[in-house]
């Protein structure tokens, strides 16, 4: 085949084009240049190419832009930003500890070291972390958000357990850690045998941990601290519970302020209602903090049953129910007065259906057991709302009822209430999604070629949402199963081990079991079981993935 001939001008243009392609150093350019050329190709040109290839790649590697990109890639996590955020959080915890110190002073408690020393520890650690994070930029990636959220809850609990130890209320570190984690995660299970004997400052601290953990520690920080740009969104996504919480404003910090304002308004209303129902002001304040956070800590060992008051039980039922609803819907209902938008929410209707059905079955059963109609309805409503909202207040020992009722209470404990509320559990939106996916799968079997989208509230679910829901279900029940086995190996009966795992992981509080029932203290458990349940509480509160991601090796790698 004759070789093509180019004019000198064409050959020069071709040569310049090839040299320009050297800087990109693509495999295609390398192949074209080293293969026999049509026209002008020689061994000398190949040598020149190899020299240009090496020099161009070396210049690219040593360029300032490349160096900056390499440093950013190697710096997987912005540790300075993490330290800065944790330092700010510790300052807030120090402020809360000072409030409890003032409460003790108000009631004549003279052991100032109980909250004085933890306050100093929180301030010192906060200052050190702020100094460590000095000069941090506001760049925050997804991993930074997950790390800050998980670390914040752990650090808060470690510092928050100090009042129990310094004040001499327990010699066991496991008990102090468990009590604090139970407070911040709004679980409400207590390891103290005699709650009535605790001083006012400690009782207030327990309730305050509930209230802080209700909408979220980091969420509270977003509302108070200056805007961190995209960092707000990362923290919001890492901590917000459920599949939806709703953005009421384009700025996350503004949304957080509005929701915390509504949270404060509901707390004040609940306090007033409890006080009018017969509680003294201190008890009303503590139970209001606990109720709106769906926590469960009480100022008495017998919980709500201590008062033996129907009015207080009805007030508790009402505010536990309100706190079970998505706070975005509460905002639309109470502030915007958009009744139709609230009722159109499919998750809310699912929650009402489950709550009403289980309460009706339980009321009928209790009525046949000899209780009056009013007492049956009130007792059924109180216990179902208490456990489904994962508040965990108790007025009776439901272990004395028919075992079938235990199963119903366990089911509602696992299901939980609405996403975007302060409750725990699976959340009704996940249960509703799973049910619709199962029904859709049967329809797909009958019509294999049809396109059958799954819709919730008029919105079509993406395939990724379905996968996430079923993965959450799998990990949820797997962790309960594994924890039940571990606690059985520690000598607990299987029913107790399973009940404790469900109660801790769903952030409920009261447990179903013979050794540890709904009115019993968890303090009889060995230290290993207390630490295990504290871990389950945190994993459940952070919706599993935010915490377990830290144990995935890929989280710490640059991939």
């Amino acid at each position: 085949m004759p070789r093509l001939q180019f004019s000198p001008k064409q050959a020069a243009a071709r040569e310049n084009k090839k040299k320009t392609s050297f800087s990109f150093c693509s495999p295609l350019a390398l192949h074209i240049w080293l293969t026999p050329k049509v026209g002008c190709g020689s061994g000398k040109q190949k040598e020149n190419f190899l020299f240009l290839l090496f020099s161009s790649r070396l210049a690219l590697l040593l360029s300032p832009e490349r160096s900056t990109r390499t440093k950013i890639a190697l710096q997987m996590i912005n540790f300075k930003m993490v330290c800065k955020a944790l330092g700010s959080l510790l300052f807030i915890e120090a402020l809360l500890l000072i409030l409890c110190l003032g409460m003790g002073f108000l009631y004549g408690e003279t052991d100032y070291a109980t909250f004085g020393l933890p306050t100093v520890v929180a301030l010192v650690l906060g200052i050190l972390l702020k100094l460590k994070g000095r000069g941090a930029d506001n760049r925050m990636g997804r991993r930074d958000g997950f790390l800050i959220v998980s670390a914040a809850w752990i650090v808060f609990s470690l510092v928050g357990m100090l009042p129990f130890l310094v004040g001499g209320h327990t010699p066991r570190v496991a008990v102090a850690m468990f009590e604090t984690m139970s407070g911040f995660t709004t679980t409400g299970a207590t390891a103290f045998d005699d709650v009535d004997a605790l001083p006012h400052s400690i009782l207030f601290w327990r309730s305050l941990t509930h209230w802080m953990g209700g909408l979220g520690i980091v969420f509270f920080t977003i509302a108070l601290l200056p805007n961190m740009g995209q960092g707000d969104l990362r923290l919001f996504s890492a901590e917000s519970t459920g599949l939806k919480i709703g953005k009421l404003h384009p700025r996350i910090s503004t949304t957080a302020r509005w929701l915390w304002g509504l949270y404060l308004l509901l707390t004040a209303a609940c306090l007033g209602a409890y006080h009018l129902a017969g509680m003294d002001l201190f008890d009303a304040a503590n139970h209001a903090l606990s109720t709106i956070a769906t926590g469960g800590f009480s100022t008495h060992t017998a919980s709500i049953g201590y008062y033996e008051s129907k009015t207080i039980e009805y007030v508790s039922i009402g505010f536990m129910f309100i706190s079970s609803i998505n706070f975005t819907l509460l905002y639309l209902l109470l502030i915007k007065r958009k009744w139709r938008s609230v009722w159109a929410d499919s998750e809310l209707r699912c929650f009402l259906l489950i709550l009403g059905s289980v309460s009706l079955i339980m009321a009928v059963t209790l009525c046949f057991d000899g209780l009056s109609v009013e007492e049956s309805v009130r007792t059924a409503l109180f216990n179902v709302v208490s456990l489904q909202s994962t508040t965990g207040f108790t007025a009776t020992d439901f272990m004395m009822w028919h075992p079938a009722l235990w199963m119903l209470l366990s089911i509602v404990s696992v299901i939980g209430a609405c996403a975007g509320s302060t409750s725990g559990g699976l959340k009704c939106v996940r249960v509703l999604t799973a049910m619709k996916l199962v029904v859709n799968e049967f329809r797909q079997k009958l019509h294999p070629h049809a396109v059958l989208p799954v819709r919730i509230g008029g919105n079509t679910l993406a395939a990724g949402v379905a996968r996430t829901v079923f993965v959450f279900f799998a990990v949820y029940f797997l962790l309960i199963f594994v924890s039940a086995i571990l606690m059985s190996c520690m000598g607990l009966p299987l029913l107790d081990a399973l009940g404790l795992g469900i109660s801790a992981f769903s952030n409920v509080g009261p447990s179903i079991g013979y050794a540890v029932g709904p009115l019993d203290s968890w303090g009889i458990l060995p230290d290993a079981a207390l630490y295990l349940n504290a871990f389950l509480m945190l994993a459940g509160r952070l919706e599993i993935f935010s915490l377990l991601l830290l144990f995935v090796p890929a989280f710490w790698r640059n991939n």
Side-chain angles (χ1 to χ4, degrees):
M1 182 177 178
R3 296 170 64 88
L4 296 177
Q5 299 295 326
F6 298 100
S7 66
K9 187 175 181 180
Q10 290 174 329
R14 183 178 175 84
E15 190 74 15
N16 290 333
K17 185 176 181 181
K18 291 174 183 175
K19 288 182 180 180
T20 304
S21 67
F22 296 159
S23 60
F24 296 99
C25 299
S26 65
L28 179 61
L30 181 63
H31 171 74
I32 291 174
W33 188 259
L34 293 181
T35 50
K37 297 294 181 296
V38 179
C40 49
S42 67
K44 184 66 175 175
Q45 288 174 330
K46 295 176 184 179
E47 293 177 6
N48 291 339
F49 168 77
L50 293 176
F51 172 75
L52 290 171
L53 171 65
F54 174 77
S55 60
S56 62
R57 295 304 292 169
L58 182 62
L60 182 61
L61 287 170
L62 296 179
S63 66
E65 293 181 359
R66 172 73 180 191
S67 178
T68 303
R69 288 196 299 269
T70 303
K71 289 179 180 178
I72 293 175
L74 291 176
Q75 190 178 359
M76 300 173 294
I77 297 174
N78 189 350
F79 284 105
K80 282 194 171 185
M81 171 59 75
V82 173
C83 292
K84 179 181 177 182
L86 290 178
S88 300
L89 286 163
L90 282 170
F91 288 153
I92 294 176
E93 186 170 21
L95 177 61
L96 299 177
L97 291 167
I98 292 173
L99 288 177
C100 295
L101 182 63
M103 182 65 69
F105 179 78
L106 183 65
Y107 280 91
E109 298 169 9
T110 57
D111 189 6
Y112 302 123
T114 299
F115 286 97
L117 183 59
T119 301
V120 173
V121 171
L123 288 174
V124 170
L125 287 177
I127 292 172
L128 292 177
L129 287 171
K130 291 287 282 186
L131 290 176
K132 181 68 176 177
R134 186 171 50 187
D137 55 16
N138 284 337
R139 177 184 59 84
M140 183 180 293
R142 185 177 299 274
R143 302 185 199 197
D144 301 326
F146 285 122
L147 182 57
I148 289 173
V149 167
S150 298
W153 286 79
I154 295 172
V155 170
F156 255 61
S157 298
L158 290 174
V159 175
M161 73 177 183
L162 294 179
F164 300 112
L165 297 173
V166 175
H169 304 292
T170 177
R172 297 170 61 188
V173 176
V175 168
M177 181 64 182
F178 176 89
E179 194 78 10
T180 309
M181 189 65 76
S182 179
F184 281 121
T185 58
T186 70
T187 303
T190 183
F192 288 112
D193 296 325
D194 188 5
V195 175
D196 296 84
L198 296 174
H200 289 82
S201 57
I202 289 292
L203 292 173
F204 186 65
W205 173 240
R206 292 166 79 243
S207 302
L208 204 56
T209 58
H210 269 343
W211 197 74
M212 271 297 297
L215 277 185
I217 296 171
V218 178
F219 201 54
F220 180 73
T221 306
I222 293 173
L224 289 183
L225 297 184
N227 194 329
M228 291 186 289
Q230 285 296 317
D232 286 347
L233 182 59
R234 301 296 188 193
L235 295 175
F236 180 87
S237 302
E239 190 183 51
S240 60
T241 60
L243 294 182
K244 57 176 184 176
I245 192 168
K247 286 177 63 177
L248 306 178
H249 192 273
R251 292 180 61 179
I252 296 296
S253 57
T254 304
T255 298
R257 291 188 188 99
W258 285 354
L259 290 181
W260 269 97
L262 177 62
Y263 194 59
L264 184 61
L265 178 64
L266 289 174
T267 304
C270 185
L271 189 156
Y274 274 134
H275 189 51
L276 292 175
M279 287 187 183
D280 62 52
L281 194 58
F282 179 79
D283 281 7
N286 280 271
H287 284 87
L289 295 174
S290 187
T291 302
I292 300 303
T294 61
F297 276 157
S298 175
T299 53
H300 303 283
T301 306
S303 190
I304 296 294
Y306 169 85
Y307 301 97
E308 298 182 349
S309 170
K310 296 179 183 180
T311 307
I312 289 178
E313 287 186 28
Y314 281 122
V315 169
S316 182
I317 290 170
F319 280 96
M320 285 191 296
F321 172 76
I322 291 173
S323 301
S324 303
I325 300 173
N326 189 326
F327 269 70
T328 304
L329 294 181
L330 290 177
Y331 179 84
L332 294 176
L333 178 66
L334 300 176
I335 307 300
K336 297 295 185 180
R337 304 297 178 90
K338 295 183 178 180
W339 305 85
R340 292 183 179 179
S341 300
V342 173
W343 180 248
D345 188 76
S346 55
E347 184 192 20
L348 177 61
R349 295 201 300 269
C350 175
F351 169 62
L352 293 174
L353 178 63
I354 296 172
L355 179 67
S357 302
V358 175
S359 298
L360 179 62
I361 295 171
M362 189 170 291
V364 172
T365 305
L366 293 175
C367 194
F368 277 109
D369 285 345
L371 297 181
S372 65
V373 176
E374 187 276 333
E375 188 177 4
S376 298
V377 172
R378 173 170 47 84
T379 303
L381 272 176
F382 180 87
N383 285 278
V384 173
V385 174
S386 178
L387 268 70
Q388 187 167 4
S389 68
T390 69
T391 304
F393 283 144
T394 54
T396 54
D397 187 0
F398 50 72
M399 288 301 295
M400 305 299 294
W401 298 348
H402 193 280
L405 300 183
W406 306 350
M407 182 63 68
L408 286 176
L409 291 175
S410 297
I411 291 173
V412 297
S413 297
V414 170
I415 293 175
C418 299
S421 68
T422 56
S423 65
L426 289 171
K427 305 295 192 304
C428 287
V429 67
R430 287 195 179 96
V431 175
L432 180 63
T433 302
M435 291 172 60
K436 291 203 171 190
L437 288 170
V438 170
V439 172
N440 191 70
E441 187 63 24
F442 280 107
R443 293 172 60 199
Q444 195 75 57
K445 294 295 182 183
L446 295 175
H447 309 283
H449 301 294
V451 178
L452 303 172
V454 180
R455 291 186 176 89
I456 292 183
N459 299 317
T460 302
L461 292 181
V465 174
R467 183 185 66 251
T468 302
V469 167
F470 280 111
V471 169
F472 187 91
F473 270 65
V475 177
Y476 186 91
F477 290 109
L478 177 63
L479 282 178
I480 290 178
F481 178 72
V482 171
S483 64
I485 292 176
L486 292 175
M487 283 187 278
S488 295
C489 294
M490 298 175 193
L492 291 171
L494 184 59
L495 177 63
D496 289 73
L498 189 60
L500 290 170
I502 292 174
S503 179
F505 202 18
S506 299
N507 305 131
V508 178
S511 176
I512 294 174
Y514 297 109
V516 182
L519 300 180
D520 297 320
S521 167
W522 293 43
I524 64 172
L525 299 177
D527 288 357
L530 291 177
Y531 285 126
L532 174 61
N533 282 288
F535 171 79
L536 290 176
M537 292 174 192
L538 184 57
R541 181 60 181 82
L542 296 182
E543 301 275 300
I544 301 175
F545 299 113
S546 295
L547 179 64
L548 296 188
L549 269 175
L550 303 184
F551 298 94
V552 178
F555 181 87
W556 305 98
R557 288 200 301 261
N558 179 26
N559 54 359

